[in-house]
């Protein structure tokens, strides 16, 4: 009988990689492939599954090898899972006694419980070895009797990504898993030291994965049932395959080939999205960037988001932290993505920018927050759309300049008022612009159940959808927007079955509200739209109602 290895997924979140459910990080798949290559039968377990059923520790004890992948180097809030805490990791290290225990991933850079706290690098007790560098390669070295360390080498990891792709079938969200695809590692802006707070320059100058390697992995994942993909493991998708230099010009020909190859490998895919995009690349290479964006839009699926690491609109903070783009460059990039991606398909914009702000950086003053607010008002007043504004406090890691030079704790009150400003003055109008009432969102997956259920589409930064109904987890439904929150929308499943809709949901119908709920209920069943309109009037969602 072959030895058994368990991969325990404590989840990862890095500036250029997400592995919190429904996302599955590339690390999990390549580690699975390396284990298979060494003759192991591989089992997969998430930290959330272990929290829900601690008795599953017995399974871990029975295994021959435990490989935990974990580490968060950017603060985030998650609906689909909660990354392993340092305490949990250490408990696992001490409580699991049977197998050899290895741990790898960005946890090697350090650990902080949340944004605004310094990440402490420390020995993780209870484990036999820390996999240093690329987890799959370090694991391969360990299993070969060598030091458990190793740098990324796509010639080794590409075959493992194919053989390890089968692991997704064991994911608790399967088949609704989002496969994070790696196209590059390391950041070209690192040539000048990189942004003060970022861990991506730890990976060195960019190395690009071959289109053939990526396409072969997608084909393998597709064979195992994957239908949702995000080309997200890279600092700047527009720089894929670009030449040397800090801000290389995009290669639209390569991006077209990359995305068309993914399509060919996964012909019936349902989601193909992107993530990080450097606004400085767009502002400095406008025409090539437009061509590159068009290439992506030709092959992706709509509702896509190009996340801009803006961080601040304050030139002093930009200078003090070697940040990549000036506010005017970011503004120009927002305009260009709106021009190229603002048209709608399947009811939602093809591609919109997202903005990330980081607070607590060196050089920050009260004025920084004013400049941030003024910038966002400028975007709003220009009629531009931004899919989301993400505000975080820096999580400084040892080895980055922000570790010793930051302003954490100095503007707490202003940080809070800035967040509140963005929620009320920017997020709400942007949601109203991007998801007007009556918009039908396709394939919303229910993730949280209750009187008010919550779901999302699978995608890059999907909007949180509140559904005022009890729905089963993993229900997939189209949903029509009926109201907006600050960071979410309220929607009803389509078709809206007016004659059986619960009272709690009827109040959300446009034109009904709390006042007319009783009248609508009293007049049910309605024979058709005309009868309904006599009570509630006409509305933009009439076409999706059923009687
Ligand atoms: S541009 Fe800055 S934030 Fe983006 S990956 Fe490079 S160093 Fe990190």
């Amino acid at each position: 009988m072959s030895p058994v290895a368990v991969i325990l997924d404590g989840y990862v979140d890095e500036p250029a990689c997400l592995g919190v459910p429904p996302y599955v990080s590339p690390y999990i798949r390549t580690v699975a492939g390396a284990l298979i290559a060494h003759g192991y039968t591989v089992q997969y377990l998430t930290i959330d599954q272990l929290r829900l059923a601690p008795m599953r520790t017995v399974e871990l004890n029975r295994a021959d090898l435990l490989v935990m992948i974990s580490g968060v180097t950017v603060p985030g809030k998650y609906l689909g899972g909660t990354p392993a805490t340092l305490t949990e990791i250490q408990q696992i290290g001490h409580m699991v006694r049977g197998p050899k225990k290895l741990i790898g991933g960005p946890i090697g850079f350090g650990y902080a419980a949340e944004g605004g706290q310094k990440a402490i690098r420390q020995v993780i007790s209870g484990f036999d070895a820390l996999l240093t560098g690329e987890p799959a390669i370090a694991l391969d070295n360990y299993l070969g009797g060598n030091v458990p360390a190793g740098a990324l080498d796509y010639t080794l990891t590409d075959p493992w990504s194919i053989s390890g792709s089968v692991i997704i079938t064991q994911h608790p969200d399967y088949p609704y898993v989002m496969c994070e695809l790696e196209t590059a590692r390391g950041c070209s802006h690192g040539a000048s030291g990189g942004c003060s707070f970022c861990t991506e320059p730890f990976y060195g100058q960019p190395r690009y994965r071959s289109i053939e390697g990526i396409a072969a992995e997608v084909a393998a994942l597709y064979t195992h049932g994957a239908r949702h993909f995000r080309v997200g493991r890279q600092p700047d998708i527009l720089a894929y395959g670009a030449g040397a230099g800090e801000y290389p010009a995009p290669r639209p020909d390569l991006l077209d080939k990359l995305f068309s190859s993914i399509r060919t490998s996964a012909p019936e895919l349902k989601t193909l999205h992107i993530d990080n995009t450097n606004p400085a690349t767009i502002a400095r290479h406008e025409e090539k960037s437009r061509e590159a964006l068009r290439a992506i839009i030709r092959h992706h699926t709509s509702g896509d988001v190009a996340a801009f690491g803006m961080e601040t609109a304050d030139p002093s903070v930009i200078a003090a932290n070697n940040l990549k783009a000036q506010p005017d460059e970011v503004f120009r990039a927002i305009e260009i993505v709106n021009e190229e991606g603002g048209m709608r398909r399947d009811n939602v914009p093809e591609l919109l920018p997202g903005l990330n702000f980081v607070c607590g950086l060196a050089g920050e003053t009260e004025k920084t927050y004013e400049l941030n607010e003024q910038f966002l008002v400028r975007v709003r007043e220009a009629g531009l759309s931004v899919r989301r504004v993400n505000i975080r406090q820096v999580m400084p890691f040892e080895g980055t300049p922000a570790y010793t030079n930051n302003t954490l704790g100095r503007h707490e009150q202003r940080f809070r008022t800035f967040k509140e400003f963005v929620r009320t003055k920017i997020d709400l109008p942007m949601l109203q612009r991007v998801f007007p009432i009556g918009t039908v969102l396709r394939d919303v997956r229910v993730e949280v159940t209750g009187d008010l259920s919550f779901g999302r589409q699978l995608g890059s930064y999907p909007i949180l959808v509140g559904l005022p109904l009890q729905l089963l987890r993993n229900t997939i439904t189209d949903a029509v927007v009926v109201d907006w929150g600050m960071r979410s929308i309220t929607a009803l499943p389509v078709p809206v079955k007016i004659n059986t809709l619960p009272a709690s949901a009827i109040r959300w119908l446009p034109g009904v509200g709390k006042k007319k709920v009783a009248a609508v209920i009293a007049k049910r069943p309605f024979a058709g739209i005309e009868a309904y309109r006599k009570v509630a009037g006409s509305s933009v969602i009439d076409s999706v109602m059923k009687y």
Side-chain angles (χ1 to χ4, degrees):
M1 243 177 40
S2 58
V4 172
V6 177
I7 298 175
L8 178 57
D9 194 348
Y11 311 142
V12 299
D13 192 0
E14 298 178 85
C17 184
L18 180 59
V20 182
Y23 282 73
V24 184
S25 75
Y27 301 125
I28 298 298
R29 288 136 36 201
T30 49
V31 161
L35 288 167
I36 291 167
H38 281 271
Y40 283 90
T41 298
V42 186
Q43 296 172 1
Y44 174 82
L45 191 68
T46 68
I47 185 69
D48 283 308
Q49 287 176 304
L50 192 58
R51 284 187 191 115
L52 278 173
M55 289 308 289
R56 294 190 73 171
T57 309
V58 175
E59 286 170 42
L60 302 183
N61 275 325
R62 273 197 225 113
D64 299 283
L65 183 67
L66 170 68
V67 183
M68 184 165 190
I69 299 295
S70 201
V72 170
T73 62
V74 283
K77 290 205 165 31
Y78 314 97
L79 182 70
T82 305
T85 64
L86 185 60
T87 307
E88 287 175 323
I89 292 170
Q90 288 175 331
Q91 279 171 349
I92 289 160
H94 289 291
M95 284 165 54
V96 178
R97 295 189 173 269
K100 283 278 181 200
K101 290 162 286 178
L102 312 174
I103 184 162
I107 190 73
F109 296 143
Y111 176 84
E114 58 185 6
Q117 289 184 6
K118 266 189 176 181
I120 307 297
R121 192 181 284 179
Q122 56 181 278
V123 175
I124 300 164
S125 58
F127 283 80
D128 294 285
L130 172 70
L131 301 172
T132 307
E134 178 60 23
I137 292 177
L139 171 68
D140 181 55
N141 284 333
Y142 176 85
L143 295 174
N146 300 309
V147 176
L152 175 67
D153 178 348
Y154 288 132
T155 62
L156 289 175
T157 52
D158 275 2
W160 294 333
S161 74
I162 294 169
S163 54
S165 61
V166 65
I167 202 74
I168 64 162
T169 59
Q170 295 187 42
H171 194 284
D173 287 337
Y174 181 82
Y176 309 111
V177 287
M178 176 67 99
C179 299
E180 182 86 318
L181 296 176
E182 172 154 0
T183 63
R185 192 84 63 94
C187 176
S188 50
H189 183 48
S192 68
C195 304
S196 70
F197 61 92
C198 183
T199 53
E200 190 66 14
F202 291 169
Y203 293 113
Q205 277 296 291
R207 274 154 299 164
Y208 300 107
R209 202 173 161 204
S210 73
I211 290 174
E212 294 70 27
I214 299 163
E217 183 191 11
V218 169
L221 288 163
Y222 188 77
T223 304
H224 294 298
R227 293 294 179 269
H228 306 276
F229 301 91
R230 185 175 82 159
V231 187
R233 209 283 171 252
Q234 71 284 312
D236 179 9
I237 185 59
L238 294 188
Y240 177 73
E246 207 176 335
Y247 301 100
R251 290 278 311 271
D253 55 329
L254 288 183
L255 283 162
D256 188 76
K257 194 168 169 214
L258 171 65
F259 280 83
S260 64
S261 300
I262 293 172
R263 274 286 183 164
T264 305
S265 295
E268 299 290 324
L269 66 75
K270 294 198 167 132
T271 310
L272 179 55
H273 279 181
I274 61 169
D275 183 23
N276 294 313
T277 310
N278 187 341
T281 303
I282 301 178
R284 288 168 188 238
H285 306 285
E286 183 170 327
E287 280 317 309
K288 289 280 179 215
S289 295
R290 283 184 187 276
E291 278 181 55
L293 290 166
R294 282 178 214 141
I296 292 168
I297 290 167
R298 265 197 298 282
H299 304 294
H300 81 157
T301 55
S302 60
D304 202 354
V305 179
F308 291 171
M310 175 177 189
E311 332 306 359
T312 180
D314 184 344
S316 314
V317 178
I318 293 169
N321 295 276
N322 192 36
L323 303 182
K324 53 200 163 293
Q326 295 296 325
D328 281 346
E329 291 180 311
V330 179
F331 190 86
R332 185 69 191 130
I334 293 171
E335 286 182 316
I336 290 168
V337 174
N338 268 258
E339 284 164 20
E340 298 297 337
M343 71 295 275
R344 285 176 185 262
R345 182 157 53 104
D346 286 335
N347 309 329
V348 289
E350 286 278 8
L351 174 70
L352 288 180
L355 291 182
N356 295 335
F357 283 84
V358 173
C359 300
L361 293 174
E364 182 184 288
T365 60
E366 298 266 318
K367 190 171 169 230
T368 303
Y369 290 93
E370 269 170 54
L371 291 170
N372 289 347
E373 290 173 1
Q374 285 167 13
F375 180 89
L376 290 168
V377 168
R378 184 181 164 206
V379 171
R380 187 192 67 198
E381 295 307 300
L384 296 166
S385 292
V386 169
R387 175 43 211 97
R388 64 149 210 172
V389 180
N390 186 27
I391 303 167
R392 300 169 290 181
Q393 282 183 306
V394 65
M395 185 190 262
F397 276 76
E398 207 176 318
T400 64
Y403 193 70
T404 47
N405 192 9
N406 61 65
T407 54
L408 281 175
R410 288 196 214 156
H411 308 110
E412 288 294 320
Q413 179 59 25
R414 193 63 184 88
F415 171 71
R416 280 194 287 276
T417 57
F418 174 51
K419 274 179 94 164
E420 185 57 24
F421 173 89
V422 173
R423 300 294 166 253
T424 53
K425 305 283 191 238
I426 306 296
D427 284 343
L428 183 59
M430 285 298 171
L431 283 186
Q432 291 169 337
R433 198 170 276 175
V434 177
F435 303 108
I437 287 181
T439 304
V440 175
L441 299 176
R442 305 272 179 232
D443 294 336
V444 174
R445 172 184 166 240
V446 175
E447 293 180 63
V448 178
T449 60
D451 289 343
L452 177 60
S453 305
F454 287 98
R456 295 179 297 181
Q457 295 173 297
L458 270 105
S460 216
Y461 309 102
I463 184 67
L464 181 62
V465 182
L467 299 139
L469 293 161
Q470 280 210 348
L471 295 167
L472 292 175
R473 185 175 155 78
N474 283 335
T475 301
I476 305 287
T477 180
D478 292 352
V480 61
V481 178
V482 292
D483 199 10
W484 310 277
M486 299 298 171
R487 305 269 284 166
S488 63
I489 55 174
T490 305
L492 295 173
V494 168
V496 178
K497 295 175 185 162
I498 187 67
N499 287 331
T500 53
L501 207 59
S504 59
I506 289 175
R507 63 160 288 217
W508 293 102
L509 291 167
V512 174
K514 282 182 192 163
K515 282 186 193 159
K516 290 192 192 166
V517 171
V520 169
I521 291 172
K523 296 279 182 190
R524 290 199 296 187
F526 296 101
I529 184 72
E530 290 310 323
Y532 174 73
R533 277 187 184 149
K534 277 185 193 151
V535 180
S538 58
S539 86
V540 291
I541 73 163
D542 285 355
S543 62
V544 294
M545 285 197 180
K546 195 174 168 195
Y547 300 88

